[in-house]
Amino acid sequence: MNYIPVTELEKEAMLKEIGISSIDELFRDIPEELRFKGDLKLPKGLSEYETRKALIKLAKKNTDMNQLANFMGAGAYNHYVPTLVDHLLSRSEFYTAYTPYQPEISQGTLQNIYEFQTIICELFGMDVSNASVYDGATAVAEAMVMACDKKKNEIIISKGLHKEYRETVETYANGMGFTVKYAELEDGITPVDAYEAQATDATAAYVVMYPNFYGCIEDIQKIAEAAHARKALMIVSVSDLSAMGILEAPGNLGADIVVGDGMPFAGPLSFSGPNIGLIATTDKLARRLPGRICGMTVDTEGKRGFVLTMQAREQHIRRAKASSNICSNQALYALANNITLSTLGKYGLKEMAENTLTNAHYCRDRLLEIDGVEMLYDQPFYSEFAVKLPIPARVLQKHLLKSEILGPVDMGIFEKELSNVGLFFVSEIRSKDDMDRLALAMEVIINEQKFI
Amino acid sequence: MSKNLFSQTEALIFDKSRPGHKAYFLPEMSIEKLDKYRVIPSHLIRRTEADLPEVSEIDVVRHFTHLSSKNFGVDTGFYPLGSCTMKYNPKLNENTARLPGFSWLHPYQPVETVQGALQLMYLLQVSLAEITGMDKVTLQPAAGAHGELTGIKIIKAYHDSRGDSKRTKIIVPDSAHGTNPATATMAGFQVIEIKSSPEGDIDLEALKAVVGDDTAGLMLTNPSTLGLFERNIKAIAEIIHGAGGLLYYDGANTNAIMGITRPGDMGFDVVHVNLHKTFSTPHGGGGPGSGPVGVKEFLAKFLPIPTVEYVDYKDKYKFNYDVPETIGRMKSFYGNFPVIVRAYTYIRALGADGLKKSSEYAVLNANYLKKLVGKHLSVEAPDRFCMHEFICTPKNIQETGVHTLDIAKRMIDYGYHPPTIYFPLIVEEAMMIEPTETEGIETLQDFAEVVGAIVTECKTYPEMVKTAPHTTYVKRLDEVKAAREPNLRYRKPIVV
Ligand SMILES: Cc1ncc(COP(=O)(O)O)c(C=O)c1O
């Protein structure tokens, strides 16, 4: 099939108007030896019905979370997203538009960005947010670019930052001439000394995850004080965004740049990709932000309206000297975040966070009743905790699936020596029954496996 | 009181907040609530709630429905935004991306439980490799610019792996999209800008003058940003390769060439395509996009991790983290998967025939429209056939004092989204028109007629054009004020 509305007859009329007799003539600028001969080796096209069938068949080869009780997080956190979100996202005036280059007919997108920027600033306790970057990992990389310059060209990152974020930052740093150093964890959190041991005059920023990759809540205030004493910036990467319903906003604890990922509020996790990189900062650093920023202004009749602004930072104006190369971002998920967080509101987010905290702790207590299961670190946590298991996490995972339970994340995929560590994520949507079932199934599996 | 929704300013969601209103219902807790002060150090507990709105469900739904009515999408009307390929976004793709078997997956699920997702990714990789004439593809990049950065880093890794550290320069034509030079800088290269001919072709002499043993590569858009096929492409490839550099293909304009010619066959070493352009995935008001990168075999060992592989003897798919000289990782997880599902659906539905036909008709529509619009405005390269887009300017009506911006704004009054304006930078007053293959002949005719009508207005009543748009709910907006007095977020009025 195809989506071409022009008929054969119409085509003939068009060719006539152009003054040629075949479409092929239009391609005469392409040197003959470069013309592709024959057919692309692709499966034959299908009708709409057949295509849908083919895709359903592929989808069926996956086990989706709706059939399971999910205990996996590690950067992809499954919280409640109201039904209305996808309905509103699906209004095609939103999703079939592009970047609001023509503000007079893009006020819907623009007002959304303005509201989104406000909500992100509220969550993080910051002055300014942009309209999004790709994901949480590239947001840390962009924050590094904001913080570093020729003289201050190194950053010190806590080992408690998500492994994939660290790898991404390294990729970005390599080539830009920035050095990435690491502050080691001690009992699951990053002591100030671990940063201080690495710091030099060239240190541009300290980076920490809040709560960190192992679920532990870092004391970002202490770290920020130490960073500032060194004239370095404090970059905080928020892991599970819903934590902002319970944990102090990083901006109120000394952060200069706060980043995160709005994936939990964008809709179903979709394997990967409804990610949305959040990045917010102080008024002072606003002009170093990457990407689109929306501002309020007035029209020629004095009516309130919104435009993209401070564009002198961006690639289409600054080209080789731009603050980033980003052009398309994750706008649709900014809309989703605005809708979800507006729906939850002030008290919904708080309730979500408090219920998550309660559930995660209940679940932890249940799991610790099992012989041989211990906390990896004994630190305050929010929605995630890592436990040492008497069997490989991968084996546990496999057997739990039979009980329709997904999780935990096998920490061995990030650090080989942690293959007996499972990272459990528990949110407000897990029922007591889910958690009891998990504890029970785990106990049985561990007892069986221990003797194999 | 009656209100005209469409002329009314929509209050901010924060202004609609009323204490006690709520729109959320979380699962009832059957466990006693934990006292947060028992488990979290008190100075790390939030003292004041984030000031999110308190609204009811109907308020939320109406608010965003109203906002949507203040937006223009492809579904609203003709959207000939050059370089962005605003083709129709098939509804089928929206449904397949939302199949629970694709949408309710966690990225760290055991691979046995996501074989269908991996197979889909693998099949899309293979399809894109075939369409572009490359050997291996990664779907990780989240947009075109992200693909560029991935590709340029691969070029850097290649030179580094050979100990060839003096290659510090990337050549970029002055007609290039802003992301090209910005990307080269982010990858640590010095950007050498070269002039293009007035028709947007690379000036071979200028190119020869700048290449040397410090050339890491050339970034090229072909068809060029003027919508013309670079006729000297083979000579360009020879000059760059002859100097030891590599060729990077910005595939933003792939919609002109599917099944007709392939970057791989033109001599390019690295390519990115935009799934949100060529492969029909919606632009989402600015994203998400997806910018897969294809490379020739000799560069495959530098691809970002993880790659998606097919394990023949097991008939299984897997993630491979063991890529010996990988540039590293470009983002968390694997790419914008819902976009990937949509693009795969599109390719599966169209097949080789449908894709080729799409390119043919994209080029037909562009040339037809160029012909019609050319009756009213100056077109660039009038004697050449354009590819999927063309550039026109109001040079022929310069004396009216009307600018491209004005004409663009006036188009809005007639129900169209304006074309891309003031890009490429090398054409003064450029208007870049890309109709795409999903528009019918009448739409093109009507649009051209409107261009004619606006040109007449420019001559008879230029004020009408210079002050457009007149029919929108906001008129031209004060961008200078927005930049000088930044108001980037709402703050609650302080009540005294
Ligand atoms: C020629 C060209 N190159 C690169 C890009 C960047 O693509 P993206 O916005 O997906 O990052 C664009 C997008 O507008 C483009 O038109």
Side-chain angles (χ1 to χ4, degrees):
Chain A
M1 66 180 294
N2 60 61
Y3 297 97
I4 299 165
V6 173
T7 66
E8 275 299 304
L9 268 179
E10 288 166 344
K11 179 185 90 178
E12 294 307 324
M14 292 164 81
L15 289 171
K16 201 162 154 224
E17 173 74 33
I18 300 168
I20 52 175
S21 57
S22 78
I23 289 185
D24 215 45
E25 289 172 57
L26 295 172
F27 294 99
R28 69 180 179 203
D29 274 359
I30 305 179
E32 184 51 33
E33 71 268 31
L34 294 182
R35 287 296 297 266
F36 183 72
K37 313 283 178 333
D39 294 324
L40 291 170
K41 284 200 265 328
L42 296 174
K44 211 169 143 320
L46 299 174
S47 68
E48 183 177 285
Y49 179 80
E50 293 163 313
T51 310
R52 192 158 55 92
K53 276 282 196 207
L55 269 291
I56 289 172
K57 202 169 150 199
L58 272 177
K60 275 209 171 131
K61 294 186 186 178
N62 303 318
T63 313
D64 70 77
M65 272 198 272
N66 284 335
Q67 310 170 38
L68 310 165
N70 173 42
F71 290 92
M72 282 192 170
Y77 305 103
N78 188 198
H79 287 279
Y80 163 66
V81 177
T83 306
L84 60 84
V85 175
D86 194 47
H87 283 267
L88 293 169
L89 282 189
S90 298
R91 292 198 62 93
S92 67
E93 298 87 341
F94 283 134
Y95 83 80
T96 71
Y98 203 9
T99 307
Y101 296 118
Q102 299 290 343
E104 298 87 347
I105 47 172
S106 311
Q107 287 297 305
T109 297
L110 285 161
Q111 183 167 337
N112 166 63
I113 299 173
Y114 183 86
E115 292 178 359
F116 166 80
Q117 288 172 181
T118 304
I119 283 184
I120 298 309
C121 289
E122 278 296 326
L123 294 184
F124 288 166
M126 301 308 283
D127 302 322
V128 196
S129 158
N130 80 354
S132 77
V133 294
Y134 305 133
D135 74 336
T138 59
V140 181
E142 295 280 5
M144 165 185 72
V145 177
M146 285 174 69
C148 289
D149 57 28
K150 282 220 164 58
K151 271 211 223 109
K152 288 206 167 239
N153 57 11
E154 63 176 41
I155 58 166
I156 304 172
I157 299 182
S158 157
K159 274 268 176 79
L161 183 70
H162 194 303
K163 177 86 180 308
E164 296 190 3
Y165 287 29
R166 280 185 267 148
E167 290 170 352
T168 305
V169 173
E170 282 181 24
T171 310
Y172 273 69
N174 167 26
M176 295 194 84
F178 301 149
T179 304
V180 178
K181 293 179 171 176
Y182 289 105
E184 296 291 336
L185 296 184
E186 212 177 283
D187 199 18
I189 55 165
T190 335
V192 168
D193 290 350
Y195 287 99
E196 294 297 299
Q198 301 281 337
T200 70
D201 289 346
T203 303
Y206 290 0
V207 184
V208 71
M209 197 166 222
Y210 179 62
N212 72 20
F213 193 35
Y214 300 90
C216 307
I217 301 173
E218 300 263 8
D219 188 343
I220 57 177
Q221 188 166 37
K222 264 204 247 156
I223 301 169
E225 279 164 14
H228 293 157
R230 287 250 172 217
K231 299 219 170 343
L233 298 179
M234 184 69 223
I235 298 173
V236 176
S237 171
V238 173
S239 52
D240 178 349
L241 191 56
S242 73
M244 294 297 97
I246 203 163
L247 295 185
E248 183 59 288
N252 297 339
L253 295 170
D256 301 288
I257 305 174
V258 185
V259 299
D261 196 316
M263 194 183 199
F265 298 141
L269 300 178
S270 304
F271 202 35
S272 165
N275 294 86
I276 159 171
L278 311 172
I279 185 161
T281 190
T282 56
D283 279 327
K284 201 170 137 209
L285 295 172
R287 284 182 198 271
R288 291 199 211 164
L289 278 170
R292 315 290 184 198
I293 296 176
C294 170
M296 189 189 276
T297 186
V298 293
D299 74 358
T300 47
E301 295 168 355
K303 203 173 195 179
R304 187 204 74 189
F306 302 91
V307 292
L308 293 178
T309 192
M310 306 203 317
Q311 299 193 64
R313 305 161 292 108
E314 290 189 69
Q315 45 77 27
H316 60 289
I317 312 268
R318 261 301 170 79
R319 299 179 73 85
K321 294 197 173 65
S323 61
S324 166
N325 70 338
I326 193 169
C327 180
S328 294
N329 53 24
Q330 300 284 110
L332 195 67
Y333 301 127
L335 176 62
N337 271 252
N338 185 14
I339 302 171
T340 305
L341 286 157
S342 293
T343 306
L344 287 173
K346 196 170 178 173
Y347 297 107
L349 183 68
K350 185 178 180 180
E351 192 178 322
M352 174 185 275
E354 290 179 351
N355 292 358
T356 294
L357 183 82
T358 298
N359 277 349
H361 284 76
Y362 173 82
C363 190
R364 190 262 324 249
D365 293 346
R366 288 299 321 262
L367 301 191
L368 290 187
E369 288 165 11
I370 304 167
D371 227 20
V373 174
E374 290 169 43
M375 285 296 274
L376 178 66
Y377 301 121
D378 194 16
Q379 295 289 351
F381 67 96
Y382 166 60
S383 59
E384 267 183 306
F385 54 92
V387 297
K388 276 192 276 192
L389 302 160
I391 60 172
R394 184 176 42 79
V395 173
L396 174 64
Q397 222 181 42
K398 204 171 101 195
H399 288 275
L400 281 174
L401 260 182
K402 290 182 207 151
S403 308
E404 298 177 341
I405 290 169
L406 182 63
V409 168
D410 166 15
M411 292 303 267
I413 63 176
F414 305 108
E415 314 282 349
K416 272 205 192 71
E417 59 286 6
L418 296 184
S419 60
N420 273 30
V421 174
L423 184 66
F424 287 86
F425 163 73
V426 190
S427 77
E428 79 290 346
I429 54 176
R430 285 284 70 83
S431 65
K432 177 169 178 295
D433 182 51
D434 290 335
M435 298 185 273
D436 291 341
R437 232 163 36 80
L438 168 71
L440 217 64
M442 236 170 100
E443 186 160 24
V444 173
I445 294 163
I446 286 171
N447 283 331
E448 278 171 11
Q449 294 294 317
K450 263 199 298 205
F451 302 106
I452 296 175
Chain B
M1 191 172 68
S2 80
K3 298 188 198 172
N4 182 349
L5 275 182
F6 301 102
S7 61
Q8 178 144 328
T9 303
E10 187 67 23
L12 294 171
I13 190 86
F14 312 105
D15 289 327
K16 296 179 180 174
S17 179
R18 298 289 177 270
H21 284 209
K22 69 178 263 193
Y24 66 94
F25 294 91
L26 298 173
E28 199 72 41
M29 296 289 285
S30 49
I31 305 164
E32 196 191 336
K33 191 154 159 183
L34 184 64
D35 173 10
K36 58 192 168 191
Y37 289 93
R38 269 186 45 213
V39 293
I40 303 173
S42 59
H43 71 292
L44 298 177
I45 290 177
R46 203 156 183 131
R47 273 159 298 174
T48 45
E49 291 91 17
D51 202 1
L52 308 182
E54 292 176 74
V55 284
S56 54
E57 180 155 346
I58 189 81
D59 296 334
V60 176
V61 171
R62 293 215 173 114
H63 178 73
F64 289 99
T65 302
H66 292 176
L67 287 189
S68 75
S69 76
K70 297 186 184 329
N71 242 26
F72 188 109
V74 174
D75 284 5
T76 315
F78 188 41
Y79 204 134
L81 191 69
S83 207
C84 299
T85 315
M86 304 300 289
K87 62 169 77 174
Y88 170 65
N89 309 126
K91 303 306 162 201
L92 169 64
N93 307 357
E94 295 307 305
N95 283 7
T96 57
R98 286 172 170 82
L99 287 169
F102 293 135
S103 58
W104 288 94
L105 300 181
H106 190 282
Y108 295 133
Q109 281 189 217
V111 284
E112 310 85 68
T113 66
V114 291
Q115 284 294 305
L118 289 174
Q119 186 178 354
L120 183 146
M121 291 176 82
Y122 182 80
L123 291 173
L124 183 60
Q125 288 175 183
V126 174
S127 307
L128 294 175
E130 172 68 10
I131 292 164
T132 55
M134 306 305 280
D135 296 313
K136 201 151 183 205
V137 169
T138 171
L139 304 176
Q140 195 173 115
H146 204 214
E148 292 171 33
L149 186 60
T150 306
I152 295 302
K153 283 186 158 294
I154 289 171
I155 290 177
K156 182 165 191 327
Y158 165 78
H159 293 307
D160 287 349
S161 76
R162 293 155 46 92
D164 196 351
S165 57
K166 61 188 176 308
R167 296 193 180 268
T168 53
K169 293 176 181 165
I170 290 279
I171 303 169
V172 181
D174 56 2
S175 59
H177 193 263
T179 50
N180 290 189
T183 295
T185 303
M186 269 189 109
F189 287 105
Q190 190 190 334
V191 177
I192 304 294
E193 195 175 88
I194 54 162
K195 283 216 171 322
S196 316
S197 77
E199 289 197 354
D201 291 328
I202 296 279
D203 181 335
L204 291 184
E205 293 313 312
L207 181 64
K208 280 183 200 152
V210 298
V211 294
D213 60 4
D214 59 357
T215 302
L218 167 74
M219 294 180 89
L220 197 65
T221 310
N222 190 25
S224 72
T225 58
L226 275 79
L228 299 169
F229 194 85
E230 175 64 71
R231 288 169 295 192
N232 291 323
I233 189 68
K234 289 208 81 171
I236 293 165
E238 274 161 28
I239 293 170
I240 297 294
H241 283 154
L246 297 185
L247 280 142
Y248 184 89
Y249 185 95
D250 178 334
N253 295 342
T254 305
N255 206 42
I257 62 162
M258 288 182 290
I260 291 161
T261 181
R262 309 193 301 176
D265 301 337
M266 297 175 208
F268 285 88
D269 305 293
V270 188
V271 171
H272 90 260
V273 291
N274 292 353
L275 300 186
H276 49 302
K277 296 178 181 177
T278 314
F279 299 98
S280 83
T281 73
H283 289 72
S290 175
V293 169
V295 296
K296 291 278 172 67
E297 189 57 50
F298 75 103
L299 296 174
K301 61 182 175 194
F302 303 113
L303 284 171
I305 48 162
T307 58
V308 177
E309 315 275 357
Y310 175 58
V311 191
D312 221 333
Y313 66 95
K314 285 186 185 160
D315 189 24
K316 287 267 182 300
Y317 298 86
K318 65 160 193 181
F319 285 117
N320 176 24
Y321 290 85
D322 187 21
V323 181
E325 296 178 64
T326 178
I327 56 165
R329 177 182 272 288
M330 292 303 295
K331 69 184 286 289
S332 58
F333 313 129
Y334 325 118
N336 281 338
F337 186 68
V339 181
I340 287 166
V341 176
R342 288 178 177 90
Y344 177 76
T345 306
Y346 180 73
I347 291 175
R348 191 69 194 86
L350 267 66
D353 286 354
L355 291 178
K356 184 172 181 190
K357 193 168 176 196
S358 296
S359 283
E360 287 176 342
Y361 278 72
V363 173
L364 175 69
N365 275 0
N367 279 284
Y368 180 65
L369 191 57
K370 182 182 175 194
K371 193 86 188 180
L372 301 188
V373 167
K375 294 175 183 171
H376 310 294
L377 289 171
S378 303
V379 291
E380 296 294 300
D383 304 327
R384 281 176 72 179
F385 291 131
C386 64
M387 293 285 107
H388 63 304
E389 64 192 359
F390 66 95
I391 311 275
C392 60
T393 72
K395 259 178 224 154
N396 58 321
I397 51 165
Q398 222 166 12
E399 71 286 353
T400 63
V402 176
H403 292 282
T404 283
L405 180 73
D406 307 320
I407 295 174
K409 295 297 182 200
R410 187 65 179 141
M411 284 176 181
I412 294 173
D413 287 330
Y414 285 96
Y416 298 111
H417 192 289
T420 293
I421 52 176
Y422 301 105
F423 175 72
L425 305 179
I426 61 167
V427 178
E428 251 178 75
E429 298 278 317
M431 233 180 278
M432 181 190 236
I433 300 181
E434 179 181 12
T436 83
E437 74 282 8
T438 60
E439 298 298 334
I441 185 169
E442 284 180 16
T443 302
L444 305 179
Q445 289 168 347
D446 291 350
F447 177 75
E449 224 168 88
V450 161
V451 171
I454 295 173
V455 166
T456 306
E457 287 176 349
C458 291
K459 292 174 184 162
T460 55
Y461 188 18
E463 273 318 294
M464 185 68 156
V465 183
K466 285 183 187 169
T467 53
H470 303 283
T471 55
T472 47
Y473 109 102
V474 284
K475 306 295 176 288
R476 281 195 207 190
L477 290 144
D478 189 344
E479 298 193 6
V480 175
K481 176 184 160 72
R484 291 231 176 105
E485 307 156 29
N487 174 347
L488 310 176
R489 57 165 295 190
Y490 168 85
R491 286 187 197 268
K492 211 177 226 154
I494 297 162
V495 192
V496 277

